[in-house]
Amino acid sequence: MLSISAISKAEKNKLSTDSAMLVLLEIKLKNTVYICYNNEDTTWKGQLYQSFPFKIGDTSEDSDGSDPNVQLQVSNVSQGLQWYVEDSGGGVGTEVILRVVNSKNLNGAADLEEYYTVLDCKVDEQWVTFTLGNDYSAR
């Protein structure tokens, strides 16, 4: 389990700070897609993450009580991601890495890093919706 960095601890304990916790996604389709939930592009450890709208849903369990799944919705208004998904045969089985980093520590370790596998993918004119499951078998 990761512990938060010293920089993040110091920033969270301040009464006022200009740092932010940023959510980064690495979607390992045929061509890896790097996006961030931010109002501007972000470079973390030398990799550019493009600002792009997405939503992470609540965790849900299958009716049989198996491992929980998470819904990830990435905007498809421009249909740019749809091409990558189609080029990757639908994206099922690919890896998604979710990271949370502090904007004051963009060369340091992530404060949170979770690995998922795409179990299902649906595309419409508004969203590319990935159903993400655990990635224990790949670790």
Side-chain angles (χ1 to χ4, degrees):
M1 181 174 159
L2 295 172
S3 61
I4 67 171
S5 66
I7 293 171
S8 291
K9 284 180 189 177
E11 290 297 314
K12 80 167 185 63
N13 289 332
K14 290 181 179 178
L15 291 177
S16 176
T17 182
D18 59 350
S19 72
M21 300 304 285
L22 304 174
V23 179
L24 309 177
L25 287 176
E26 182 177 339
I27 305 171
K28 294 187 172 186
L29 298 165
K30 189 174 180 182
N31 294 305
T32 302
V33 175
Y34 298 92
I35 59 176
C36 65
Y37 191 80
N38 198 10
N39 57 2
E40 63 185 15
D41 294 348
T42 300
T43 300
W44 178 68
K45 287 191 166 183
Q47 176 61 56
L48 176 67
Y49 287 77
Q50 292 185 323
S51 175
F52 210 77
F54 63 85
K55 297 190 256 183
I56 301 171
D58 294 330
T59 303
S60 64
E61 290 187 14
D62 289 336
S63 58
D64 63 0
S66 63
D67 292 330
N69 298 328
V70 176
Q71 295 290 316
L72 168 65
Q73 290 184 297
V74 182
S75 176
N76 191 38
V77 173
S78 68
Q79 298 189 345
L81 183 60
Q82 181 175 345
W83 183 87
Y84 289 108
V85 169
E86 290 172 356
D87 191 46
S88 298
V92 173
T94 60
E95 184 178 53
V96 174
I97 305 171
L98 179 143
R99 295 182 177 97
V100 177
V101 301
N102 190 293
S103 63
K104 294 259 181 164
N105 192 24
L106 294 176
N107 289 318
D111 290 310
L112 174 69
E113 191 169 87
E114 295 289 333
Y115 292 80
Y116 298 96
T117 298
V118 175
L119 303 176
D120 189 35
C121 181
K122 293 185 169 103
V123 178
D124 63 30
E125 62 278 348
Q126 291 291 326
W127 300 101
V128 174
T129 303
F130 297 103
T131 300
L132 305 177
N134 71 47
D135 193 24
Y136 297 133
S137 60
R139 301 275 139 226

